[in-house]
Amino acid sequence: MSLSFSELDFLKPELGAEYTGAGTHFAVFSAHAEKVELCLFSSDGTEETARLALPKREGDIWSGYIAGIGPGTVYGYRVHGPYDPKTGHRFNPHKLLLDPYAKQTTGKLLWDDALFGYRIGARNNDLSFDDRDSAPFMVKGVVQDPAFDWDGDKAIRRPWTQTIIYEAHIRGMTMTHPGVPEKLRGTFLGMCSDPIIEHLTKLGISAVELLPIQYFVDDRYLLDRNLRNYWGYQPLGYFAPQPRYMAGRDITEFKTMVKRFHAAGIEVIMDVVYNHTAEGSERGPTLSFRGLDNLSYYRLSPENPRHTFDTTGTGNTLNVAHPMVLRMVLDSLRYWVGVMHIDGFRFDLASTLGRARHVAFDREGGFFDAIRQDPILAGVKLIAEPWDVGDGGYQVGGFPPPFREWNDKYRDNVRRFWKGEGGLVPKLAQRLTGSAVQFNHSDRGATSSINLLSAHDGFTLMDTVSFNDKHNEANGEDNRDGHSDNHSDNMGAEGLTDNDGINAARARRRRNMIATLLLSQGIPMLLGGDEVGSSQGGNNNAYCQDNEIGWIDWQGLDDSFPGFCRDTVAFRKAHPALCQERFLTGEGGEDDFVDIAWYRPDGSHMSDDSWNEGELRVLGVYLARGSASDGAPADQIFMVFNAGGDCQFTLPDMNNTRTWQRVMDTGAEEAMAIHEADSPTMVYAASVAVFAPQGEPVK
């Protein structure tokens, strides 16, 4: 079959391969190319069947329209231009390139030296030129038809005050779950299977935050170690779902997952990686962006553009300061919201996105301005990982609204408090109230902080109470990788133990930490598996462990701890005093209503001297929300966080409440049992005790 570009060719505004119903329009950006060739392949991607130069160029967008071809067409690009690495140009038409806008990929990337634009082992290294064809080893794009029956599916748009996030990995969540059908394990369809959705809804989760699902590659050095990229932070296709998560070959499986989550009332947030790509440094392969226009897509050293400028620790940094690269990122985000119905995004190493070229982080930068003015993106959930490895990259509290931010200070301070370190009471108070020191500015609200005890990188909650040291030997880096300062405590034995006393102490500390998380202002995020006591054997950097180390161990599903987590989530949802939009002041307003107050065990208010008391390891806090018509608080609770020994605690007389009942006690055999509370009342060592007004129905 002879193919050619139509004489009726027209310029569509969309980049990528867009099926029109009668043919397909191809468009790709390159500012410095001299010629762009579209390569078409057989359905299995093994044979190149046509090579056609894109006939149109306007505004650095190369395009062409071919009638009669449509969904299922396999394609890639070859781009001609200068090969002059010293000036930043690395065009090499011998290298087949993946379309950055490809909606689906086919085939596997097979590591071979032909994937590199230079000849590996040459005396002049990356200044050399390689003329081998990379197509036999290269993944290709597939033309897609976006049609899908959403059957009335609508965005949930749940308020932040009602949001409880669950960070999960598609394979980690499903590979060993006993209820997920074996053929669906590790897939989008397994992730939305009945057992998973039932578990999440019973737990009370309102949003799942999925580790990267955009097309990513396995690092060559990992495959050489018989490992592979598990987490997915090596992206190459920002519009295509990762094929290893599909049971078949149809990307509608992803849409089906989103639709099923929405039907269950659960929002879907994607972890996205727009700070770097899988092509690595100047010595990396030529797979897409580097061959399309290295000088435009990447930040290069201003002193020597032969080299990449790296603020991510991966070898390269995507140049979002370039208008067409920024457009690609925004088009990608809009695609996932508009076509795939995603509810929000967590931006990996988001500080990099706030750097204009090579300058410092700028919260008023172009990326943030573009997001905030976009009518589609401004209304979805936006979460920043507020750091990168560049100078001034740590920016917790530095992002503009509407962004929320992962708060590692929360994780570290809560771990240290329950570990029993002294001097942590003031820090705990900050974390309980939404970390106002970091976030109470620029009219940001008390929901700005994403509070977490653990996440995919670092110890799980179980490992935090089971290991003093990291154990990453399986990663093949002699245990050098991963953080060494985890604020963890094995409580008497390194790793698993049969000692009943140690196991009981670990269980109590996990209850204390989960209770603290769900009793804090801000947005709680649970790491998938923490609720069932999943362990990674002390590995705190399981990025390459797509196996039993990284997967959730569901053996604890029927233990008492998942029930405690469910009850504590339900308690949070029932008490609006715990989920307030604005920061609490502690100042009496009309009717002398007080929204927050801090107490010592003797019932006195915390003084300046008390806050500076290094050996104090117990803190009481009163919270109230709103006023009813009679001037009484609409909701009020009193909480005691005790990392010290047993103590008698005098309960407060606040807002006309004088008598209390105990509604949570992590030190008791039945943590959620309800008891009348005398004053003073016993608060056990290493426990959280929560009280509600006597006589009110317990929610």
Side-chain angles (χ1 to χ4, degrees):
M1 177 181 177
S2 178
L3 294 175
S4 63
F5 287 107
S6 171
E7 294 181 0
L8 300 177
D9 181 28
F10 57 95
L11 184 68
K12 287 172 63 66
E14 296 89 354
L15 289 163
E18 294 293 328
Y19 175 58
T20 66
T24 300
H25 183 267
F26 296 89
V28 65
F29 161 76
S30 180
H32 300 98
E34 297 168 354
K35 181 171 72 171
V36 177
E37 293 177 313
L38 171 68
C39 301
L40 303 180
F41 289 83
S42 57
S43 59
D44 62 2
T46 60
E47 179 184 356
E48 185 175 321
T49 59
R51 187 182 300 190
L52 306 166
L54 293 178
K56 280 187 175 291
R57 178 178 183 175
E58 183 173 333
D60 298 328
I61 294 177
W62 303 71
S63 65
Y65 177 79
I66 301 178
I69 66 171
T73 300
V74 179
Y75 73 102
Y77 290 110
R78 299 181 189 272
V79 182
H80 299 253
Y83 189 82
D84 186 9
K86 290 183 178 180
T87 62
H89 294 303
R90 295 183 178 271
F91 294 101
N92 187 334
H94 301 287
K95 309 306 167 185
L96 187 76
L97 307 175
L98 181 67
D99 179 7
Y101 280 70
K103 306 300 192 302
Q104 184 176 354
T105 63
T106 187
K108 293 183 179 180
L109 189 141
L110 303 174
W111 280 106
D112 187 89
D113 289 354
L115 292 169
F116 292 75
Y118 64 96
R119 187 163 288 275
I120 291 180
R123 180 175 298 179
N124 53 348
N125 296 314
D126 63 293
L127 297 179
S128 63
F129 185 80
D130 187 274
D131 59 4
R132 287 172 289 184
D133 183 12
S134 68
F137 313 101
M138 186 59 194
V139 66
K140 285 91 176 174
V142 183
V143 177
Q144 281 294 305
D145 184 347
F148 180 76
D149 183 9
W150 285 101
D151 191 26
D153 178 82
K154 293 182 180 180
I156 296 173
R157 298 291 187 268
R158 181 171 286 106
W160 279 109
T161 52
Q162 299 173 21
T163 297
I164 297 176
I165 299 172
Y166 186 95
E167 189 191 30
H169 187 286
I170 297 294
R171 286 177 61 81
M173 189 77 177
T174 62
M175 287 301 293
T176 66
H177 193 291
V180 176
E182 188 169 350
K183 65 181 180 180
L184 298 182
R185 293 181 181 181
T187 70
F188 297 127
L189 296 181
M191 186 68 192
C192 67
S193 61
D194 289 342
I196 298 297
I197 288 182
E198 180 183 3
H199 174 74
L200 294 174
T201 52
K202 286 176 64 177
L203 187 56
I205 297 302
S206 72
V208 290
E209 182 176 305
L210 302 178
L211 266 70
I213 56 82
Q214 295 165 314
Y215 174 65
F216 61 85
V217 304
D218 292 314
D219 307 76
R220 190 177 196 175
Y221 77 93
L222 289 178
L223 294 177
D224 289 343
R225 298 177 188 169
N226 293 318
L227 299 169
R228 69 175 181 175
N229 184 353
Y230 174 51
W231 288 347
Y233 291 96
Q234 286 287 47
L236 191 64
Y238 289 120
F239 294 76
Q242 175 65 16
R244 75 173 52 149
Y245 298 152
M246 294 190 290
R249 299 180 53 150
D250 196 334
I251 65 171
T252 58
E253 293 182 20
F254 181 88
K255 298 178 181 181
T256 298
M257 177 188 71
V258 174
K259 182 178 176 180
R260 292 211 71 210
F261 273 126
H262 285 178
I266 298 173
E267 294 182 296
V268 181
I269 299 170
M270 283 173 50
D271 193 333
V272 289
V273 189
Y274 296 112
N275 58 82
H276 74 276
T277 78
E279 290 184 303
S281 73
E282 65 275 1
R283 296 196 176 190
T286 297
L287 308 175
S288 180
F289 311 95
R290 175 164 290 129
L292 282 164
D293 193 343
N294 185 62
L295 195 60
S296 295
Y297 277 105
Y298 291 118
R299 293 179 181 171
L300 304 180
S301 167
E303 293 80 19
N304 185 354
R306 169 187 175 183
H307 303 292
T308 57
F309 186 86
D310 181 15
T311 62
T312 67
T314 65
N316 68 52
T317 303
L318 205 61
N319 185 20
V320 293
H322 190 290
M324 291 303 294
V325 180
L326 176 60
R327 173 181 169 177
M328 178 190 70
V329 173
L330 295 174
D331 284 348
S332 171
L333 294 170
R334 293 188 196 102
Y335 173 78
W336 290 103
V337 173
V339 177
M340 306 298 245
H341 287 208
I342 285 296
D343 302 285
F345 304 95
R346 179 264 191 188
F347 294 88
D348 177 66
L349 299 182
S351 293
T352 291
L353 302 175
R355 296 179 185 271
R357 297 197 179 275
H358 309 291
V359 301
F361 174 83
D362 180 8
R363 71 192 306 268
E364 303 298 332
F367 173 77
F368 302 127
D369 286 345
I371 289 279
R372 286 184 288 178
Q373 61 81 37
D374 190 287
I376 295 175
L377 301 178
V380 303
K381 287 182 165 62
L382 302 172
I383 301 171
E385 182 185 37
W387 48 77
D388 63 19
V389 302
D391 291 340
Y394 187 78
Q395 289 291 330
V396 172
F399 282 71
F403 280 85
R404 271 60 180 175
E405 302 175 36
W406 272 27
N407 188 352
D408 63 335
K409 293 181 183 293
Y410 185 95
R411 175 199 64 205
D412 293 348
N413 292 162
V414 170
R415 287 185 181 186
R416 291 176 63 196
F417 176 81
W418 287 114
K419 188 179 175 181
E421 293 185 25
L424 266 295
V425 165
K427 295 293 186 183
L428 178 68
Q430 291 181 32
R431 306 308 156 223
L432 291 172
T433 52
S435 298
V437 171
Q438 283 71 40
F439 298 106
N440 190 11
H441 60 83
S442 307
D443 200 33
R444 301 187 73 178
T447 61
S448 298
S449 173
I450 304 295
N451 300 331
L452 60 143
L453 301 169
S454 50
H456 65 274
D457 52 343
F459 277 156
T460 67
L461 182 60
M462 177 62 86
D463 287 352
T464 299
V465 301
S466 303
F467 294 91
N468 285 342
D469 303 304
K470 63 182 181 179
H471 295 272
N472 299 351
E473 291 81 5
N475 295 354
E477 301 178 42
D478 297 324
N479 205 32
R480 295 187 304 270
D481 60 306
H483 292 291
S484 295
D485 189 10
N486 297 284
H487 306 296
S488 60
D489 177 13
N490 68 21
M491 308 188 73
E494 189 75 353
L496 294 176
T497 179
D498 294 329
N499 186 296
D500 291 340
I502 292 175
N503 286 329
R506 289 175 176 176
R508 179 183 289 198
R509 186 169 293 179
R510 285 192 294 140
R511 290 195 298 272
N512 290 341
M513 295 173 74
I514 286 290
T516 304
L517 177 70
L518 291 163
L519 296 172
S520 298
Q521 304 296 319
I523 310 302
M525 186 186 85
L526 289 165
L527 171 64
D530 276 354
E531 77 281 11
V532 295
S534 187
S535 168
Q536 294 180 167
N539 192 318
N540 73 352
N541 191 33
Y543 75 101
C544 57
Q545 300 298 332
D546 192 359
N547 50 46
E548 288 81 1
I549 292 175
W551 302 337
I552 293 176
D553 180 356
W554 292 97
Q555 291 187 63
L557 186 59
D558 297 324
D559 294 345
S560 61
F561 191 65
F564 174 78
C565 293
R566 289 192 292 268
D567 291 343
T568 311
V569 169
F571 185 85
R572 176 184 179 85
K573 290 182 175 182
H575 287 275
L578 296 169
C579 318
Q580 308 208 39
E581 292 185 6
R582 309 308 301 175
F583 287 98
L584 307 178
T585 66
E587 300 172 358
E590 294 183 11
D591 303 320
D592 293 324
F593 175 82
V594 176
D595 55 13
I596 186 169
W598 305 96
Y599 291 89
R600 292 178 58 88
D602 63 5
S604 63
H605 289 280
M606 290 287 290
S607 64
D608 290 343
D609 289 341
S610 299
W611 289 116
N612 293 318
E613 189 176 327
E615 294 306 310
L616 186 65
R617 288 174 169 79
V618 59
L619 178 66
V621 55
Y622 168 88
L623 292 178
R625 167 73 179 270
S627 287
S629 57
D630 61 358
D635 182 48
Q636 55 184 330
I637 57 175
F638 183 69
M639 306 177 291
V640 179
F641 300 85
N642 182 16
D646 291 352
C647 72
Q648 293 287 331
F649 211 105
T650 299
L651 303 179
D653 179 354
M654 182 62 70
N655 290 331
N656 298 317
T657 297
R658 295 181 173 82
T659 58
W660 300 85
Q661 55 188 349
R662 190 185 302 250
V663 295
M664 182 190 301
D665 188 344
T666 63
E669 186 173 341
E670 295 184 21
M672 307 302 288
I674 301 170
H675 303 284
E676 292 186 10
D678 297 327
S679 184
T681 189
M682 172 63 71
V683 176
Y684 297 112
S687 70
V688 177
V690 183
F691 305 86
Q694 181 74 34
E696 286 189 6
V698 177
K699 304 173 184 178

